[in-house]
Each structure stands twice: as structure tokens, then as C-alpha cells.
Amino acid sequence: MNKKEIIEILKSNNTSEIFQKADEIRRKYCGNIVHLRALIEFSNFCKRQCLYCGINSKNIKIKRYRLSEDEIIKTAKQAANLGFKTIVLQSGEDDYFDIKKMCFIIEKIKELNVALTLSLGEKTKEEYKAYKASGADRYLLRIETTNEKLYKKMHPNADFQNRLKCLYTLKELNYETGTGIMTGLPEQSINSIADDILFFKKFNANMIGIGPFIPHPDTVMKNYPCGNFELALKTVAITRILMPNINIPATTALETLLKNGRKIALKSGANVVMPNITPNFAKENYSIYPNKQGVSANNINELENLKNEIASIGDVISKDFGTSKNFIAQKDL
Ligand code: SAM
């Protein structure tokens, strides 16, 4: 697919064929398998000012929290006991967790025989290197948009080139590397989303997270409209068609925007779900956008419903670490 064809599909209303094709490709290259990742949102302190994000440093209404090192490790143990094979640690950009603290947490979690994904934002090469040496396997850092002008508008005091550099550093350090975007940002064109998709391919990402923008009432973007569900789904499907063997989550933002959004995404190219195991007192304050609709891994009924949902579309839950197939192929070269 070239850029012109990508744009045509992104603009088209007649898309059932593209969703079906993405589903076929996912099943052919990744199997009838869904990978589950247990997500721990361990701090909502953030030094960044991303205009769209509810935990940005300017939001004085939000109640800030940090889990202690013990709480993070205990939560990871709960996840491992529930059978999760991957744990994802996510936070705002919080310098309280320095190299020493992070490496201690990483080492302890790696004793649980799980794959570990980090999503901590932009760090120095030294930090990324130390986390890797302590056992971290994967890193998620969405580029958010590849349109540098739009990036600059959305991220005061941040540097697009540095975010890009971080991604290439993570690759160089041999992380299984994930990136992604928000769709439906104000002033984001279809042309720009096509460029984003082509960037995923050029960067040869191992994981791609795509979620619609959802306005947070305590941000300056509170009055902008939500991203469009179909557009986000088309972006997922095209990404799958172009990158058959990567991992693509059915993001919480998709489920938040539309009931059954997760299931629809799993039938349109996605192959990963990230149930949230953050302790309840903390989870409600990790409000990057309102009314987040993820699966709670603290609730047996919700996990059971997820299992049934996955079975209902002819899939099974993976029993392995769920390393992306293009990462394995790169390593085998
Ligand atoms: N600090 C880390 C980073 O910058 O990558 C991880 C945490 S950040 C809150 C996780 C993701 O949330 C971002 O990459 C962004 O795409 C998404 N996000 C934040 N605010 C959002 C909003 N209002 N609507 C949809 N997604 C949002």
C-alpha cells in the first residue's frame, strides 16, 4: 500500500473489506491468539505539559499518587499469580523513580519469570541502558504524531526530535520497541495519519498502540471533540495489513469511545489486551482521559468476561510471553 492508497482507505466509508482483510492477516501471521498484559500505572506525577493529557503537570485538580516500590512489586506478583506473562509498568514522567529505584523494581519483577514492558516516557540513554541491563524487555513510547508542527503545539517545552531519538535509542539497545499515535487530534489531517502509518513501517516497530483522542475536562483541550472510532479502527487495520507480524493492542481508548470497541478492534487486526491491575485507590487517579473503560484484572468477573469475549471471536489466550514475531525474526537474522 502506498501513501495514496492509505489515504483513500482512511477517507473511505466502505471499509468492512479492509477490517476483514486485517483480521485474516492477523490470524495468518499471529495466530488465533490474544496476548494479555497486566498494566500497573504506578505514578501519575508527570513533569510534562502535554495539552491533551489529564495527568499533565498543569492539572492542579488531580490527586497525585505514587505506589511504593513494595506496592509495585506486590502488584506485579499478583499479576504473575493470576497467570499474566507480561507486566507493563506505566507512569507519568516522574523523576522520583531514579535509576536506582527503577532498576531495583525491574530486577525484582524479573524474578517472577515474566516479560517486562516499560512505558515511562523520555529518558536518557544511560537510563534506558540501565533498565535494559536490569532485565527490562520492552519499551512503549508513542510518537503521538509524526507531524512536527502539530507535535510542537500539543507538547509545550518538549522536542519532537528528542522523542524520535529516544525511539531509535531504544531500538539500538535491543528493546522490543513500541510506538503509536492518537487519532483525532485537532488539526491532524488524514495525510498526517498516513505519514504516521508509514513511519511505523519505516521504523520497523514491534508494537503499535493506536487510540482516539478523548478530551479531559481538566485540560485546555476540554472543548475539542473526541476522535472518531472508525478512523482509529481504520488506522489499526491498515497498520496490521502493512505490518503482519507485529503486536497491536485493542486500546482502552477504543473501548471507552464505543462499547464493544475492544472486541471490534480484535476482529480488525489487534491481538493484544492490557487488563489493568493497578490497585483501585490509585487507578481512579490515573485519569489521562475520563471514564476509562479497560478490563480490571482485580475483578475476577471482568477477567472471566474477557476470556469469554476472546473465545467468542475464535481466539485463545496466549500462554507464552507474546514476544512480537517481527522482533523474533530480527533476532534470528
Ligand atoms: N509518560 C509516558 C509517555 O509519555 O509515553 C506514558 C504515559 S502517557 C499518559 C500514555 C499515553 O496516553 C500517551 O502516549 C497518549 O497517547 C495517551 N493519552 C494521554 N492523554 C490522552 C487523551 N486525552 N486521549 C487519548 N489518549 C491519551
Side-chain angles (χ1 to χ4, degrees):
M1 242 189 270
N2 59 29
K3 185 166 169 185
K4 192 166 158 264
E5 288 163 327
I6 294 174
I7 290 174
E8 259 170 40
I9 297 171
L10 288 173
K11 283 185 174 165
S12 161
N13 289 325
N14 184 14
T15 42
S16 58
E17 217 175 276
I18 212 78
F19 297 141
Q20 209 181 323
K21 185 83 195 154
D23 191 35
E24 273 167 36
I25 290 180
R26 188 271 275 183
R27 286 168 192 283
K28 180 166 171 200
Y29 289 89
C30 303
N32 294 337
I33 294 167
V34 174
H35 302 288
L36 300 189
R37 323 299 200 191
L39 174 65
I40 307 176
E41 297 160 331
F42 66 93
S43 166
N44 71 353
F45 280 86
C46 191
K47 65 181 182 188
R48 298 267 166 195
Q49 295 169 19
C50 313
L51 297 189
Y52 46 80
C53 185
I55 66 169
N56 86 72
S57 63
K58 295 265 172 185
N59 183 2
I60 50 166
K61 287 199 183 158
I62 194 172
K63 196 169 149 208
R64 302 280 169 181
Y65 73 87
R66 281 185 186 109
L67 300 188
S68 68
E69 283 136 274
D70 279 354
E71 280 169 325
I72 298 169
I73 295 159
K74 198 175 126 221
T75 309
K77 278 187 186 153
Q78 275 168 20
N81 289 339
L82 282 166
F84 286 98
K85 292 283 174 202
T86 292
I87 286 162
V88 181
L89 290 184
Q90 190 179 87
S91 67
E93 282 194 25
D94 182 3
D95 290 338
Y96 169 84
F97 288 95
D98 58 15
I99 289 193
K100 198 166 158 234
K101 289 193 182 79
M102 265 335 289
C103 289
F104 172 75
I105 295 165
I106 292 166
E107 278 160 26
K108 285 289 172 199
I109 293 181
K110 284 302 289 181
E111 287 172 10
L112 302 170
N113 186 30
V114 289
L116 178 59
T117 307
L118 301 178
S119 176
L120 320 176
E122 292 173 41
K123 300 283 171 181
T124 62
K125 183 169 185 177
E126 187 199 359
E127 286 169 304
Y128 289 146
K129 222 175 179 172
Y131 306 155
K132 189 82 178 70
S134 295
D137 302 283
R138 307 177 187 147
Y139 207 102
L140 300 173
L141 185 74
R142 287 187 181 176
I143 193 73
E144 314 293 2
T145 169
T146 57
N147 180 323
E148 200 163 347
K149 224 169 122 196
L150 178 59
Y151 187 93
K152 216 176 158 61
K153 272 195 181 166
M154 293 288 121
H155 305 94
N157 306 328
D159 178 10
F160 175 78
Q161 290 302 331
N162 190 58
R163 199 150 182 102
L164 203 55
K165 193 167 134 215
C166 286
L167 279 170
Y168 281 99
T169 302
L170 290 163
K171 259 267 166 87
E172 182 195 322
L173 294 173
N174 212 14
Y175 277 94
E176 197 181 335
T177 309
T179 187
I181 55 161
M182 260 173 296
T183 54
L185 287 169
E187 294 177 41
Q188 182 188 44
S189 64
I190 293 291
N191 186 61
S192 163
I193 296 176
D195 284 336
D196 297 340
I197 297 173
L198 290 171
F199 165 73
F200 301 157
K201 179 88 180 159
K202 178 173 152 225
F203 179 65
N204 197 12
N206 307 116
M207 307 172 275
I208 295 293
I210 294 156
F213 157 69
I214 299 172
H216 189 291
D218 300 324
T219 63
V220 290
M221 288 177 65
K222 62 181 174 207
N223 292 326
Y224 284 95
C226 274
N228 173 282
F229 180 84
E230 280 271 311
L231 179 61
L233 197 67
K234 282 188 270 188
T235 310
V236 167
I238 298 168
T239 302
R240 168 59 71 203
I241 293 168
L242 285 178
M243 304 181 79
N245 57 0
I246 64 166
N247 283 335
I248 302 181
T251 56
T252 304
L254 282 167
E255 179 74 16
T256 303
L257 213 55
L258 185 74
K259 197 169 157 44
N260 276 331
R262 178 180 52 247
K263 186 171 169 181
I264 296 170
L266 288 174
K267 287 169 76 180
S268 310
N271 68 327
V272 173
V273 177
M274 293 165 67
N276 196 322
I277 195 153
T278 310
N280 288 335
F281 73 88
K283 190 162 59 180
E284 59 200 51
N285 292 307
Y286 197 84
S287 67
I288 53 184
Y289 50 80
N291 194 27
K292 271 194 324 187
Q293 290 298 318
V295 178
S296 168
N298 300 316
N299 182 325
I300 294 296
N301 290 338
E302 286 192 29
L303 277 183
E304 201 52 39
N305 287 344
L306 176 63
K307 274 186 202 159
N308 292 337
E309 181 178 298
I310 289 169
S312 77
I313 56 168
D315 282 331
V316 293
I317 293 173
S318 162
K319 292 194 169 65
D320 62 27
F321 293 131
T323 308
S324 77
K325 293 214 160 46
N326 72 337
F327 187 72
I328 295 170
Q330 279 159 20
K331 292 201 88 121
D332 286 348
L333 280 178

